[in-house]
Amino acid sequence: MESGELEQRRSELFGKLSSAFGVKKHTDAQPAFLAGKFAELPYWLLLIPITILAIWVRTRNLGLLAGKYLIELDSYLWYRYAKIIVETGSLPAIDTARYVPVGVDTSLYKFFAYSLAYFYKIVHAIVPSLPQITWHVYYPVVVTVLSLPFFFLFVRKISNVKVATVATALLVVIPAYIQRTSSGFADHEAMAMLWMFVSLAAFAYAWAEKDWRKAMALGATSGLFAALMAGTWGGFVYLTITIGLFLIAALLFSKINVLQYASVVAFYVLLSVIYPIARALPLFSWLKSQESALVLFPILVVAAYWASTKMPQFSRIFERTDKYLPKQALVTFVLLIIGIIIAQVAGIVDLASTYQSLTRANPNRWTTTVAENASPFFFGGGGWWDSFGWLFMIAFAGAISLAMMIFKNREHGILDFKNQKFAYAAGLIYTIFFAGFVFGKYNSGGRFQSTVSFFSKYYIAWLLLSLAAFVLLYLYVYYKDRNLFAKIFTGDKWPLIFMFVFFNFSLIISRVLVRLIFGLSPALAIVAAWFLVLAFQKTFSNNRTKIIAIALILFAVFSFYSATAQTAGINRGMGSMVPGQWEGAMTYLRDNTPADSAVTH
């Protein structure tokens, strides 16, 4: 083969990869039909095969379910409640079939049960021959498919359309995300994810909006769907606390304008009005809850910061402290200490209970005997490696990159070590934190047990030290050069801050229980996709590093294929526990005991 022909083929290959991943040649004009508002059309069209893949991996177990079996016990509870609502029009206040003869108050379960019932009524109007039990078999897949465009829109807004496409593709094949969105798993997580992605998309668009009416409407919409998520699933804290922490981080590391602040207030107001109604809770009980406080406190901190800068009596204090730390940091730190004391005294926050929850220092019998309530490990037991594989390490690299980009000086390239020393320091701090985080839960036995025991024992101290290191680096940048501080922490870095907060909060929560690893999936998919696209674009744009870009693509394809195969394999074995002994036992009880008998187990 002539060298010229070889070079041409190599150029064609690089051109195709460049086009697929958005590395543009400045000399080439874009096709007219893909210009302007149609420029993103190819990525939107890619959602079609991604959706087909999502359905395929979630329906490998349909043969085991036979159109009439659900996977686990909670799904049957929700089916029973929804069936009662469909047949009678309402759910009784007391469920007499549970905890006989006392029964159970159903008020906390009504919102999701009614949601399932009305979803079925809509579907039944379209397909009258569809039995309700069959709809419950398919419901998780249908709702997951409905959620994907909103997830795509959210990621598109905080990054770009290329990252959104890759993140959506990763999310549908992540092993940790399959069980609770699979055919037959008719529990509340799948629907909660739909409400969460709608809320996140509305929030991201509200934060970037310049028009008052649109920003307020989008903020209120985000709060409404956050309330629907809260009424559906206790894991709504993945959404609400992320937004609260993001608001604090944006105040410290970015900039917040009045319009953005107003959209968050609208979010909180709608959440606070709708959620208590959905869960039949007194308004006061919600307002004084820890979940509410973690959103309300950041809102009050921002308001207090703005007020303090307008009040002359604070000017003397700021004159003395401005040399050492920025005003927003001083106000945040002071109010944080005051807030913790008030919350502890008022019983809003129990620090001892929070410590035990994060460390599992005092597990009860329920924790030790139920597999999903066990504390996860990196290897084994359905932990992080089993749940994410190599995507976990890609997200780790992405999180390091996010830390560096937040501290990056835009006036210099990231490879300029002299002028980017703060970015590299942030990356090093996060690397050390993540290593301690992983080694603290590396495995449950075998190698490295002394290391595992050390990091596990001092996990909270390690977490606080890492946080303190970031704070000290932040303050050092300010103390060293205020002008540089202003150049580093700019308002346009809010998407990086949101991704960093979302990922790390979800990561820390996932350490508590195996079942909570599911909630890490969206954030991990986003950070992994962001890193893959960014790394490819950076390496492919340089002739000397194109081979690295190709290797990165091959590794990404391998990771995607492995995740797809593993996810499909998991689903193939996800049958119901009912056929066999359970079904036989229930049939025997139905046929051989009086109609009013009570069963205990």
Side-chain angles (χ1 to χ4, degrees):
M1 183 180 289
E2 297 293 335
S3 60
E5 184 180 353
L6 182 63
E7 182 64 29
Q8 181 181 356
R9 295 187 66 178
R10 183 184 295 113
S11 177
E12 290 175 355
L13 173 62
F14 287 152
K16 290 177 181 179
L17 289 170
S18 177
S19 175
F21 286 86
V23 182
K24 300 177 182 178
K25 291 183 178 180
H26 296 289
T27 57
D28 295 339
Q30 195 174 29
F33 70 94
L34 291 180
K37 61 182 179 180
F38 294 108
E40 295 184 353
L41 180 60
Y43 300 98
W44 281 97
L45 292 177
L46 281 173
L47 284 181
I48 297 174
I50 290 172
T51 300
I52 293 172
L53 179 62
I55 296 171
W56 184 81
V57 297
R58 283 163 175 76
T59 54
R60 299 303 85 211
N61 64 341
L62 285 179
L64 299 175
L65 303 178
K68 63 177 182 178
Y69 295 120
L70 302 177
I71 289 177
E72 43 79 62
L73 292 177
D74 286 356
S75 297
Y76 276 99
L77 172 68
W78 296 117
Y79 165 66
R80 181 165 66 87
Y81 282 177
K83 191 170 186 293
I84 291 172
I85 294 169
V86 169
E87 293 177 349
T88 67
S90 63
L91 186 66
I94 302 297
D95 179 5
T96 57
R98 297 173 62 192
Y99 296 97
V100 177
V102 178
V104 171
D105 182 0
T106 62
S107 59
L108 293 178
Y109 307 97
K110 283 186 176 181
F111 181 78
F112 180 53
Y114 274 93
S115 299
L116 286 174
Y118 280 95
F119 259 85
Y120 172 67
K121 286 186 176 184
I122 294 171
V123 173
H124 187 257
I126 301 172
V127 188
S129 61
L130 183 70
Q132 187 171 357
I133 184 64
T134 305
W135 160 246
H136 279 252
V137 172
Y138 285 101
Y139 133 75
V141 181
V142 174
V143 170
T144 298
V145 167
L146 292 175
S147 73
L148 295 181
F150 296 103
F151 180 76
F152 180 90
L153 283 170
F154 164 60
V155 183
R156 173 182 173 273
K157 196 61 180 178
I158 63 171
S159 186
N160 58 57
V161 70
K162 306 173 194 66
V163 175
T165 305
V166 177
T168 307
L170 293 179
L171 181 66
V172 302
V173 300
I174 284 178
Y177 202 64
I178 181 64
Q179 183 188 24
R180 297 176 185 278
T181 58
S182 167
S183 298
F185 200 96
D187 212 334
H188 40 211
E189 286 89 346
M191 190 175 292
M193 290 295 105
L194 170 61
W195 306 142
M196 179 180 182
F197 296 155
V198 176
S199 179
L200 284 172
F203 181 84
Y205 276 82
W207 194 267
E209 186 56 60
K210 304 300 182 183
D211 181 81
W212 266 95
R213 292 182 180 179
K214 291 180 181 179
M216 294 298 289
L218 287 166
T221 300
S222 180
L224 169 62
F225 283 95
L228 298 186
M229 182 189 181
T232 301
W233 184 41
F236 69 92
V237 294
Y238 283 105
L239 170 63
T240 57
I241 295 181
T242 292
I243 288 177
L245 293 175
F246 164 71
L247 189 59
I248 289 289
L251 177 65
L252 295 174
F253 294 91
S254 182
K255 290 181 174 64
I256 301 174
N257 60 46
V258 176
L259 196 55
Q260 291 167 336
Y261 179 78
S263 68
V264 179
V265 173
F267 167 89
Y268 180 75
V269 170
L270 261 291
L271 171 64
S272 299
V273 170
I274 304 299
Y275 171 60
I277 296 174
R279 293 300 295 270
L281 296 172
L283 177 61
F284 183 72
S285 70
W286 156 250
L287 292 177
K288 74 174 212 175
S289 69
Q290 179 173 293
E291 292 78 12
S292 172
L294 290 172
V295 184
L296 179 60
F297 175 74
I299 292 175
L300 296 177
V301 168
V302 175
Y305 162 67
W306 283 345
S308 65
T309 59
K310 303 296 183 182
M311 299 171 69
Q313 53 266 46
F314 285 95
S315 59
R316 292 182 180 179
I317 298 175
F318 289 142
E319 286 176 2
R320 296 178 181 178
T321 60
D322 272 356
K323 181 180 179 180
Y324 305 102
L325 73 167
K327 298 181 182 68
Q328 62 267 36
L330 175 62
V331 173
T332 301
F333 296 156
V334 171
L335 291 183
L336 181 61
I337 295 172
I338 296 173
I340 290 175
I341 295 173
I342 293 176
Q344 181 73 12
V345 172
I348 297 174
V349 175
D350 186 344
L351 294 179
S353 176
T354 302
Y355 172 80
Q356 289 182 357
S357 297
L358 290 174
T359 61
R360 313 305 290 164
N362 185 31
N364 55 33
R365 184 177 179 275
W366 177 260
T367 299
T368 58
T369 57
V370 178
E372 284 189 329
N373 288 339
S375 184
F377 290 91
F378 184 73
F379 285 116
W384 294 301
W385 186 259
D386 291 343
S387 300
F388 303 109
W390 284 106
L391 292 177
F392 190 80
M393 303 311 297
I394 296 173
F396 170 36
I400 296 174
S401 301
L402 282 172
M404 294 178 67
M405 296 298 285
I406 291 171
F407 279 84
K408 179 180 178 294
N409 180 358
R410 291 184 180 275
E411 293 185 353
H412 303 277
I414 193 63
L415 297 180
D416 184 350
F417 182 80
K418 179 180 179 181
N419 290 295
Q420 297 292 5
K421 54 182 178 292
F422 298 124
Y424 281 96
L428 178 62
I429 291 171
Y430 188 82
T431 303
I432 295 173
F433 155 73
F434 197 90
F437 181 89
V438 169
F439 273 108
K441 300 291 291 183
Y442 186 75
N443 55 26
S444 58
R447 302 176 63 189
F448 309 115
Q449 280 310 290
S450 59
T451 304
V452 171
S453 298
F454 173 81
F455 283 112
S456 182
K457 182 178 180 181
Y458 298 106
Y459 163 64
I460 294 297
W462 189 258
L463 183 63
L464 294 176
L465 283 173
S466 301
L467 180 61
F470 271 115
V471 171
L472 289 175
L473 177 62
Y474 166 82
L475 296 177
Y476 180 75
V477 175
Y478 178 83
Y479 177 77
K480 192 73 175 177
D481 189 337
R482 294 192 198 180
N483 291 328
L484 179 61
F485 181 89
K487 292 177 182 178
I488 291 177
F489 303 117
T490 55
D492 58 350
K493 285 191 176 181
W494 72 266
L496 303 175
I497 296 170
F498 196 100
M499 284 190 282
F500 189 76
V501 170
F502 189 28
F503 175 75
N504 283 286
F505 174 71
S506 302
L507 178 69
I508 291 169
I509 292 298
S510 74
R511 189 185 188 276
V512 179
L513 302 173
V514 168
R515 67 184 302 169
L516 297 179
I517 289 179
F518 165 83
L520 173 59
S521 302
L524 184 137
I526 294 169
V527 174
W530 177 82
F531 176 76
L532 287 172
V533 174
L534 177 70
F536 177 82
Q537 291 179 335
K538 293 294 184 182
T539 54
F540 199 82
S541 61
N542 189 324
N543 287 329
R544 292 177 296 179
T545 57
K546 280 186 177 180
I547 189 65
I548 299 176
I550 300 299
L552 180 67
I553 289 300
L554 293 175
F555 178 64
V557 171
F558 166 75
S559 300
F560 181 78
Y561 175 79
S562 298
T564 303
Q566 183 181 348
T567 299
I570 292 171
N571 186 258
R572 286 191 190 98
M574 287 178 61
S576 174
M577 64 175 63
V578 171
Q581 291 185 355
W582 271 85
E583 191 170 32
M586 294 302 104
T587 301
Y588 176 85
L589 287 171
R590 183 177 63 244
D591 296 343
N592 295 278
T593 59
D596 58 350
S597 298
V599 178
T600 61
H601 69 93

